[in-house]
Amino acid sequence: MKAIHFGAGNIGRGFIGQVLHDNNFELIFIDTNNTIIDQLNQDKGYNIELLDSNQTQIYIDNVSALHSVKEADKVIELIDEGDIITTSVGAHNLVHISPIIKKGLIKRAGKKKTINILANENMINASDLLREEIKKICDPSEWDVIEETAYFANTSIDRQALSKETNGKQIAIVEPYYEWIIEKNKLDPNANYSLKNVKMVSNMKPYIERKLFLVNACHAAFAYLGSLFDYATVQESIKDHRINRLVRQFLAQNIAYFLKEYQMDKDELKHFVDKTIARQGNTALSDDVHRVGRSPKRKLGPFDRLIFPIKKLDELNLENDKGKRIAVAAYCYQDKNDKEAIEIQNMISEQGIIDTVKKVSQVSNAQAQELSEIYYAIHHNRENIFLEEI
Ligand SMILES: NC(=O)c1ccc[n+]([C@@H]2O[C@H](COP(=O)([O-])OP(=O)(O)OC[C@H]3O[C@@H](n4cnc5c(N)ncnc54)[C@H](O)[C@@H]3O)[C@@H](O)[C@H]2O)c1
Ligand SMILES: O=P(O)(O)OC[C@@H](O)[C@@H](O)[C@H](O)[C@H](O)CO
């Protein structure tokens, strides 16, 4: 069985590749990075190092790779023969891979061969987004044939995955913990395989929201507060007791959303948060604040990890002052190598903070006003972020 995976980056090799390999798939990575493509083709496999006490080494074999642009014809052929398509290219790149996936699906649709497509990106319903991007570029007859054969199931994916270079080779380094949750009722009922080491659920919403609004929100908070106080890594940021306390207060406020919306168990959620902070503080990891804080415009979007909880808690009349401080820390975030960070800083200088938050986060006038007051207080003196009241 062949798995076609778009994105041979950290999570693609460090997690999705491992699970598909353990489910007896041959792995073909599709990427645009020549270095990793050449490495995978040369070695026909790759190493994963687990961040456990033994630094366990895992070798993933039966691997090859193709370039999504230079070898487009081969990729289309492969989609025609493949058994599953998965992605981890970054949510903003789904639009770029949709034309080639469309061509491959049209080719195989003639044979009426069904296929599962799982987009694994940190956003709500990434597979639905990929489906929409493909639909947009199809004429109605093309879409009819794709719709008959392609099954787009949403997912939530959780494992801290980084990479390191050893002897000129990229090695995936990952924490032992992982969770891959898949929306089971959208999967192809006639698939000739079942996946082990994944969790199948009928209602994805609570799971992906818990991942984004607790795990990723926590991570983003440590990254943006860390950056505000000149720490280089998330692990250093977590050790600052004032930052740690503020992030815990922030997550305690976010927990209230899950209690109200899904009647989840409070103690289980508290335990989940403790476990998440312990995972993110794992000193075997050295996770750059600029990796975790990357693409702040995406992270400050209306449905993403920082703003969606603020909006929901406001709607429910629940406290969210800590979330607003974290969002403002994200608006203060600077990274000269990150296009989105530069764009946000330019917007703030040219249009002011109120118009910027309205455009980027699509918040109400009252919310924009509140965020701007916090922004000025923090801009005046970053220590103000820790005050009882701003
Ligand atoms: N790293 C993690 O800890 C982690 C955990 C859970 C989810 N995620 C999510 O997984 C996705 C990937 O994250 P990552 O950390 O692996 O990033 P990454 O940058 O390490 O990997 C992304 C890969 O996609 C490739 N790519 C980009 N555009 C492409 C295109 N048009 N065609 C083919 N390949 C393309 C890149 O070259 C790169 O190799 C993101 O959505 C991220 O939010 C990451
Ligand atoms: O990948 P992003 O940019 O959406 O978020 C950065 C990190 O929070 C993320 O990659 C985590 O490491 C991952 O989601 C852990 O499961």
Side-chain angles (χ1 to χ4, degrees):
M1 289 186 304
K2 288 186 180 178
I4 302 149
H5 181 80
F6 286 81
N10 294 339
I11 202 78
R13 277 176 295 118
F15 181 30
I16 300 165
Q18 183 189 0
V19 175
L20 292 172
H21 171 267
D22 292 350
N23 276 284
N24 303 316
F25 282 93
E26 173 190 344
L27 273 175
I28 305 102
F29 285 100
I30 316 297
D31 209 290
T32 45
N33 177 330
N34 289 315
T35 312
I36 195 69
I37 293 171
D38 291 346
Q39 178 185 320
L40 295 172
N41 283 330
Q42 207 170 48
D43 297 349
K44 301 183 174 47
Y46 65 89
N47 283 94
I48 300 178
E49 183 175 306
L50 280 191
L51 294 168
D52 59 10
S53 49
N54 302 321
Q55 291 178 298
T56 306
Q57 305 290 319
I58 300 168
Y59 190 71
I60 306 295
D61 63 3
N62 210 7
V63 172
S64 58
L66 290 172
H67 193 289
S68 60
V69 181
K70 295 185 205 156
E71 297 179 292
D73 289 346
K74 287 188 187 163
V75 177
I76 293 165
E77 277 300 325
L78 194 64
I79 294 177
D80 185 25
E81 299 160 14
D83 296 284
I84 188 168
I85 299 174
T86 50
T87 82
S88 63
V89 288
H92 57 293
N93 287 319
L94 290 175
V95 63
H96 301 305
I97 60 171
S98 54
I100 196 158
I101 297 181
K102 171 199 154 177
K103 287 184 188 144
L105 291 177
I106 296 277
K107 189 162 167 50
R108 71 181 277 135
K111 300 175 196 147
K112 301 243 184 278
K113 284 193 297 186
T114 53
I115 191 162
N116 282 315
I117 304 177
L118 310 177
N120 305 284
E121 317 291 348
N122 279 337
M123 65 171 287
I124 307 276
N125 298 342
S127 301
D128 288 351
L129 173 64
L130 178 60
R131 183 179 181 277
E132 284 313 303
E133 294 297 349
I134 295 173
K135 190 175 175 185
K136 265 190 222 162
I137 50 173
C138 284
D139 64 35
S141 62
E142 287 174 328
W143 181 246
D144 281 349
V145 291
I146 289 182
E147 212 179 13
E148 264 181 48
T149 49
Y151 287 79
F152 294 83
N154 293 304
T155 75
S156 163
I157 190 149
D158 193 5
R159 179 178 235 184
Q160 293 174 96
L162 306 177
S163 287
K164 67 174 180 184
E165 198 183 302
T166 305
N167 300 328
K169 302 275 184 199
Q170 283 297 317
I171 298 187
I173 45 176
V174 296
E175 62 177 334
Y177 174 89
Y178 64 77
E179 188 177 68
W180 190 3
I181 304 181
I182 300 175
E183 195 177 26
K184 74 172 168 203
N185 40 321
K186 289 212 188 151
L187 286 171
D188 176 5
N190 302 313
N192 60 350
Y193 55 85
S194 58
L195 293 172
K196 64 172 191 202
N197 299 340
V198 305
K199 180 172 174 152
M200 298 288 181
V201 302
S202 351
N203 181 11
M204 270 308 294
K205 197 166 166 272
Y207 292 96
I208 182 68
E209 288 195 350
R210 192 186 61 170
K211 165 74 199 324
L212 215 53
F213 307 148
L214 292 180
V215 180
N216 290 112
C218 177
H219 222 187
F222 282 124
Y224 293 128
L225 292 170
S227 169
L228 190 65
F229 287 89
D230 307 319
Y231 293 115
T233 68
V234 164
Q235 289 67 37
E236 288 170 20
S237 173
I238 291 179
K239 279 196 189 138
D240 181 315
H241 70 275
R242 292 184 309 168
I243 291 181
N244 198 309
R245 183 163 171 267
L246 178 56
V247 174
R248 285 180 186 275
Q249 291 170 334
F250 161 54
L251 296 174
Q253 292 183 341
N254 278 4
I255 278 180
Y257 164 68
F258 291 92
L259 298 179
K260 189 102 180 171
E261 184 78 9
Y262 301 112
Q263 292 77 47
M264 288 185 185
D265 184 86
K266 192 173 184 175
D267 289 335
E268 273 178 32
L269 283 172
K270 279 185 176 166
H271 176 70
F272 183 79
V273 163
D274 287 342
K275 195 175 76 178
T276 298
I277 295 177
R279 284 175 51 210
Q280 295 178 356
N282 181 349
T283 46
L285 275 167
S286 176
D287 209 349
D288 196 320
V289 293
H290 294 311
R291 185 196 81 81
V292 180
R294 66 185 168 190
S295 318
K297 197 171 175 213
R298 164 171 60 90
K299 291 188 168 94
L300 283 163
F303 302 104
D304 214 283
R305 63 210 73 188
L306 299 177
I307 300 299
F308 186 93
I310 290 177
K311 290 182 171 209
K312 281 289 166 191
L313 290 168
D314 266 346
E315 271 170 41
L316 296 166
N317 244 337
L318 292 166
E319 279 190 340
N320 62 11
D321 61 303
K322 302 300 184 284
K324 287 184 177 132
R325 294 177 195 203
I326 308 295
V328 167
Y331 273 104
C332 295
Y333 175 69
Q334 308 215 4
D335 176 1
K336 60 180 183 344
N337 298 313
D338 188 317
K339 276 196 292 200
E340 291 191 13
I342 295 168
E343 189 186 343
I344 289 187
Q345 293 315 309
N346 287 343
M347 282 177 85
I348 295 174
S349 1
E350 286 157 21
Q351 303 170 33
I353 184 70
I354 294 201
D355 280 357
T356 304
V357 298
K358 279 199 210 161
K359 283 183 189 147
V360 173
S361 300
Q362 293 169 31
V363 291
S364 67
N365 288 340
Q367 286 163 331
Q369 184 60 39
E370 218 183 321
L371 289 168
S372 80
E373 282 162 20
I374 303 171
Y375 178 82
Y376 287 120
I378 292 171
H379 219 245
H380 172 66
N381 179 358
R382 64 184 180 177
E383 299 292 325
N384 286 341
I385 202 162
F386 300 119
L387 290 177
E388 260 330 292
E389 286 199 15
I390 296 187

